[in-house]
């Protein structure tokens, strides 16, 4: 029944990508994976630190000591009911006996909300100087490799030019990239962004001056330093005369989609025809088939994040084919790898959009996109289903304004995908029927755009180093805009890092607590994160703290590298506070 409705083979194709890649474990940016154990974090406060005095880390900061101190103070305040009162004011006395025993105390919110800022996340930040961490491997090895490959791409383009002005201008872009690469390798300080006319210059420079003055590529929080590198890469081109829109990753992004023919045609074959229920189904059977289809497509969309074919950039045609031609794993099997799973609740939310919607039938769903190519194609298939089934009436896609984290979607990638499906000749070996199916799908999607049912947007905030905890403050217009959505789906690893402040929160931390203001601000929309786990921050596991932490700690022991393999995933939902007036003060 399930296979009949959802088509097990397609899913197996997609999952086959995922599981194979999980073992080879490369990141989805074309660099070779460096397997490093993640640096250990402690979530249980040891006795010796109960009265923690400021302790400085390598960076000269007292971030950990301060946050532990905050907790200690709040525990004492809560427990000390017999404090003396002097002049009407209770005086807090530190009593060791009031402190919780080592074993039953877990940090639930180690830094008080008022002391959180981009350099001081709620839990300790990951930083590049943490030796043996993924942050260290990324900053020290992966990013220089990515830059090196990007330079190769520009050199390739350079060699195709004949006009002297264009050549000279492009050579200067390459020189700027070379300098950036040296700065990265020499751990240079983060300098302000040059005013290149981009909408985000002020946002960047405010963050650099306010939170990261004097910080360098290795001692700034990893998230900010990594994002900064992509902004600087942008600057290498944005200040040029002829090449300001050049995308050093565009060739890779196109290439990976063209090499994914089998999975592409599986999807277009099944979804090329408009969605309709099989005849003679009772209304409860229809409802059940809709639910099952929703669940499968949610997983297609989810695992599309790990199967983004930029992962396959170093694979031969033959290797990709063999990945695509074998199947076997079932939906239920893959669901086991979703370690924090709110999919059932997600279905209820989406199902009820139809009921709740006053005018049109179906609600507004926003996708904060991640990667171009195959992942974007999966997202669109999902969005198409949501629209055709009447669950949604409007879908907004949020992409990046310029090349970002290698494979993220820009407007050009969006247009390229839809136009290639209709007019392209990417798949010369495909049958006429396959080509027709893909074209029909592309035409339908372009029609949605014309009718305003699909809307592509690109707010500057998405290309900053800010986390989404700061969205209301730094991009209030965007927060307000999203607050009008019925559901905001964040795709992928980087979006998840930004939702959760990319810090060492305990595995069992609830999604609501991890995303802070994106759940607790008045007007916060319902938020769902569809993320295959490709970096250190992991939250939302288990139904209670013991269970959640045990799941993560077991994997730490049994499967080192599980947090960067893309083999595991989370589907997490926050109910937010929709409908309440956003407080813009
Ligand atoms: O460089 C590491 C990283 O930022 C991780 O978040 C992840 O490995 C990758 O880049 C981005 O993944 P995604 O495309 O899913 O956001
Ligand atoms: Mg990405």
């Amino acid at each position: 029944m399930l296979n009949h409705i959802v088509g097990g083979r397609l899913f197996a194709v997609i999952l086959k990508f995922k599981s194979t890649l999980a073992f080879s474990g490369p990141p989805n940016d074309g660099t070779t994976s460096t397997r490093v154990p993640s640096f250990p974090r402690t979530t249980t406060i040891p006795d010796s630190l109960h009265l923690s005095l400021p302790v400085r880390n390598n960076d000269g900061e007292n971030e950990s000591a301060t946050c532990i101190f905050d907790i200690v103070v709040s525990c004492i305040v809560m427990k000390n009911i017999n404090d003396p009162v002097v002049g009407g004011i209770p005086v807090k006395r530190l009593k060791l006996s009031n402190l919780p025993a080592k074993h039953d105390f877990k940090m639930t919110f180690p830094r008080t909300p008022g002391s959180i800022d981009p350099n001081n996340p709620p839990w300790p930040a990951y930083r590049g100087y943490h030796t043996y961490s993924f942050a260290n491997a990324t900053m020290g090895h992966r990013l220089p490799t990515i830059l090196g490959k990007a330079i190769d791409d520009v050199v390739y383009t350079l060699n195709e030019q004949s006009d002297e002005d264009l050549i000279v201008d492009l050579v200067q872009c390459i020189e700027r990239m070379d300098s950036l690469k040296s700065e990265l390798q020499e751990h240079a300080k983060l300098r302000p962004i040059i005013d290149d006319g981009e909408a985000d210059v002020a946002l960047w420079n405010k963050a650099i001056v306010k939170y990261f003055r004097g910080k360098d590529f290795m001692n700034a929080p990893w998230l900010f330093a990594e994002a900064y590198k992509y902004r600087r890469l942008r600057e290498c081109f944005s200040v040029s005369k002829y090449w300001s829109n050049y995308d050093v990753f565009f060739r890779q992004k196109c290439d990976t989609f063209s090499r994914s023919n089998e999975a592409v045609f599986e999807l277009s074959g099944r979804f090329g025809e408009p969605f309709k229920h099989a005849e003679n189904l009772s209304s409860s059977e229809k409802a059940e088939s809709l639910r099952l289809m929703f669940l499968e497509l949610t997983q297609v969309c989810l695992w599309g994040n790990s199967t983004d074919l930029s992962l396959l950039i170093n694979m031969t045609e033959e290797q990709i084919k063999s990945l695509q031609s074998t199947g076997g794993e079932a939906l239920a099997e893959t669901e086991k790898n979703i370690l924090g799973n709110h999919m059932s609740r997600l279905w209820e939310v989406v199902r009820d959009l139809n009921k709740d919607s006053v005018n049109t039938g179906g609600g507004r769903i926003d996708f904060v996109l991640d990667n171009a190519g195959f992942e974007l194609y999966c997202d669109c298939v999902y969005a198409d289903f949501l629209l055709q089934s009447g669950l949604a009436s409007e879908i907004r896609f949020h992409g990046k304004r310029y090349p970002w984290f290698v494979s993220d979607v820009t407007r050009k990638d969006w247009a390229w995908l839809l136009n290639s499906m209709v007019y392209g000749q990417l798949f010369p070996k495909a049958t006429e029927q396959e080509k027709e199916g893909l074209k029909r799908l592309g035409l339908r999607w372009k029609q949605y755009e014309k009718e305003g049912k699909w809307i592509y947007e690109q707010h500057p905030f998405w290309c900053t180093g800010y986390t989404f905890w700061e969205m209301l403050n730094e991009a209030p217009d965007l927060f307000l805009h999203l607050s009008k959505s019925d559901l905001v789906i964040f795709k992928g690893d980087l979006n998840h890092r930004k939702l959760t402040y990319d810090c060492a929160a305990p595995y069992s931390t609830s999604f609501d607590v991890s995303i802070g203001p994106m759940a607790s601000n008045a007007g916060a929309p319902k938020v769902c994160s569809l993320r295959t786990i490709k970096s250190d921050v992991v939250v939302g596991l288990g139904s209670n703290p013991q269970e959640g932490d045990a799941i993560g700690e077991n994997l730490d022991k049994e499967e080192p590298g599980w947090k960067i393999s893309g083999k595991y995933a989370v589907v997490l939902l926050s109910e937010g506070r929709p409908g309440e007036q956003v407080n813009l003060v």
Side-chain angles (χ1 to χ4, degrees):
M1 169 72 170
L2 189 65
N3 273 2
H4 173 68
I5 293 170
V6 301
R9 181 156 177 264
L10 162 68
F11 196 75
V13 167
I14 291 173
L15 265 295
K16 183 67 183 168
F17 278 132
K18 186 201 73 60
S19 57
T20 307
L21 292 168
F23 298 114
S24 55
N28 65 348
D29 47 29
T31 60
T32 322
S33 155
T34 309
R35 292 318 201 106
V36 283
S38 39
F39 80 94
R41 65 197 62 167
T42 304
T43 54
T44 305
I45 296 183
D47 289 331
S48 55
L49 279 181
H50 277 166
L51 292 174
S52 61
L53 294 168
V55 174
R56 289 183 182 268
N57 64 18
N58 300 355
D59 200 14
E61 300 160 340
N62 56 357
E63 55 179 16
S64 317
T66 307
C67 69
I68 292 169
F69 186 70
D70 286 345
I71 283 276
V72 171
V73 170
S74 53
C75 295
I76 294 163
V77 169
M78 285 188 315
K79 290 213 164 194
N80 245 353
I81 48 174
N82 295 325
D83 285 330
V85 176
V86 179
I89 302 168
V91 174
K92 302 294 169 203
R93 248 194 322 216
L94 300 181
K95 274 193 199 164
L96 282 178
S97 57
N98 286 338
L99 295 170
K102 178 179 172 182
H103 292 299
D104 47 66
F105 190 85
K106 298 266 177 179
M107 283 202 280
T108 53
F109 212 107
R111 199 183 289 282
T112 50
S115 62
I116 293 170
D117 69 42
N119 189 41
N120 298 290
W123 288 268
Y126 302 112
R127 295 179 199 259
Y129 68 67
H130 294 141
T131 326
Y132 305 120
S133 68
F134 187 46
N136 185 268
T138 298
M139 297 308 296
H141 173 74
R142 291 179 56 232
L143 292 195
T145 308
I146 288 169
L147 261 182
K149 284 183 146 215
I151 292 170
D152 292 346
D153 173 272
V154 187
V155 169
Y156 187 91
T157 303
L158 181 77
N159 293 341
E160 293 173 331
Q161 305 307 310
S162 55
D163 182 296
E164 188 176 0
D165 288 347
L166 291 179
I167 291 173
V168 170
D169 198 29
L170 197 55
V171 167
Q172 286 167 358
C173 294
I174 296 173
E175 285 165 2
R176 286 188 284 271
M177 291 171 85
D178 282 332
S179 315
L180 174 59
K181 195 170 167 210
S182 309
E183 282 183 49
L184 189 57
Q185 285 170 325
E186 288 156 16
H187 307 170
K189 290 204 176 7
L190 310 182
R191 64 146 171 83
I193 299 296
I194 291 172
D195 184 359
D196 55 6
E198 286 287 355
D200 60 5
V201 176
L203 274 169
W204 272 102
N205 289 344
K206 178 181 160 192
I208 292 167
V209 168
K210 203 167 164 190
Y211 307 109
F212 304 110
R213 203 154 19 142
K215 291 268 179 245
D216 63 41
F217 278 101
M218 287 312 230
N219 66 18
W222 172 39
L223 175 66
F224 191 84
E226 191 178 16
Y228 175 82
K229 184 228 111 174
Y230 287 97
R231 182 59 182 87
R232 286 287 307 277
L233 179 58
R234 169 68 186 150
E235 194 194 272
C236 296
F237 293 88
S238 57
V239 297
S240 90
K241 185 166 177 192
Y242 301 105
W243 298 95
S244 60
N245 291 320
Y246 190 77
D247 181 350
V248 293
F249 307 122
F250 188 64
R251 279 196 186 96
Q252 284 184 46
K253 289 185 272 192
C254 299
D255 186 44
T256 52
F257 182 71
S258 342
R259 296 164 87 202
S260 61
N261 52 318
E262 194 155 327
V264 166
F265 290 123
E266 288 270 359
L267 282 162
S268 62
R270 289 189 44 223
F271 300 100
E273 292 304 323
F275 167 83
K276 65 174 192 296
H277 284 292
E279 278 164 26
N280 305 327
L281 288 186
S282 69
S283 55
S284 63
E285 284 169 332
K286 279 185 189 163
E288 180 59 2
S289 87
L290 199 64
R291 187 182 73 86
L292 291 172
M293 196 144 172
F294 172 82
L295 293 179
E296 193 221 3
L297 281 169
T298 304
Q299 282 213 56
V300 166
C301 185
L302 166 71
W303 295 115
N305 177 243
S306 99
T307 59
D308 166 30
L309 293 187
S310 61
L311 281 164
L312 305 183
I313 197 126
N314 292 323
M315 291 201 176
T316 64
E317 198 83 1
E318 277 315 300
Q319 284 170 314
I320 294 173
K321 283 226 161 55
S322 85
L323 282 176
Q324 290 178 327
S325 62
T326 47
E329 286 140 321
L331 191 61
E333 270 304 303
T334 64
E335 211 176 328
K336 283 186 195 148
N337 287 353
I338 304 177
L339 302 177
N341 188 348
H342 296 168
M343 253 196 310
S344 318
R345 175 67 195 134
L346 181 67
W347 163 242
E348 288 166 3
V349 166
V350 172
R351 179 198 61 197
D352 292 347
L353 291 182
N354 208 352
K355 279 195 217 140
D356 297 346
S357 170
V358 189
N359 306 317
T360 46
R364 164 180 158 188
I365 298 183
D366 286 53
F367 281 80
V368 182
L369 295 171
D370 186 3
N371 299 315
F374 186 69
E375 179 171 353
L376 176 61
Y377 179 74
C378 291
D379 297 339
C380 288
V381 168
Y382 189 41
D384 191 2
F385 161 76
L386 292 170
L387 205 63
Q388 287 191 51
S389 57
L391 297 166
S393 58
E394 175 185 319
I395 314 258
R396 289 177 181 263
F397 298 89
H398 301 264
K400 308 296 190 301
R401 293 173 82 86
Y402 46 79
W404 189 248
F405 283 70
V406 183
S407 36
D408 283 20
V409 181
T410 63
R411 191 183 282 282
K412 182 173 166 186
D413 300 323
W414 167 268
W416 180 85
L417 178 70
L418 268 56
N419 287 325
S420 301
M421 288 169 68
V422 176
Y423 307 109
Q425 303 196 2
L426 295 175
F427 307 106
K429 293 185 190 151
T431 64
E432 282 313 307
Q433 205 187 355
E434 285 173 333
K435 288 182 195 165
E436 265 312 301
L438 191 62
K439 186 172 174 179
R440 251 198 322 275
L441 204 56
L443 281 170
R444 190 158 79 228
W445 294 354
K446 284 168 77 74
Q447 187 60 25
Y448 291 153
E449 267 204 295
K450 282 193 196 119
E451 292 169 3
K453 292 178 180 163
W454 278 14
I455 300 154
Y456 183 89
E457 304 181 4
Q458 43 174 14
H459 195 284
F461 183 74
W462 303 123
C463 288
T464 67
Y466 282 116
T467 72
F468 303 151
W469 280 54
E470 282 106 23
M471 189 189 291
L472 181 60
N473 285 337
E474 303 300 335
D477 58 321
L478 179 61
F479 186 89
L480 195 62
H481 181 50
L482 294 182
S483 75
K484 294 177 188 137
S485 177
D486 294 299
L487 174 68
V488 183
I489 298 176
F490 287 87
K491 286 293 316 283
D493 197 73
L494 177 63
N495 279 326
H496 192 84
R497 289 172 64 194
K498 288 187 160 192
L499 279 167
T500 57
Y501 230 124
D502 200 38
C503 55
Y507 297 128
S508 57
T509 314
S510 76
F511 186 54
D512 269 12
V513 169
S514 313
I515 69 174
M518 281 303 287
S520 62
N521 277 335
K526 288 189 165 63
V527 161
C528 174
S529 179
L530 295 185
R531 176 240 191 168
T532 62
I533 301 172
K534 289 184 272 183
S535 66
D536 280 323
V537 59
V538 179
V539 295
L541 306 194
S543 48
N544 61 58
Q546 281 72 23
E547 189 197 11
D549 289 341
I551 294 172
E553 282 155 19
N554 255 352
L555 281 162
D556 283 338
K557 265 191 242 125
E558 308 289 324
E559 220 176 302
W562 68 277
K563 281 189 273 185
I564 55 171
S565 64
K567 175 180 172 186
Y568 295 98
V570 286
V571 177
L572 298 173
L573 181 78
S574 156
E575 301 285 340
R577 291 171 61 187
E580 291 182 43
Q581 197 175 355
V582 175
N583 184 357
L584 291 169
V585 181

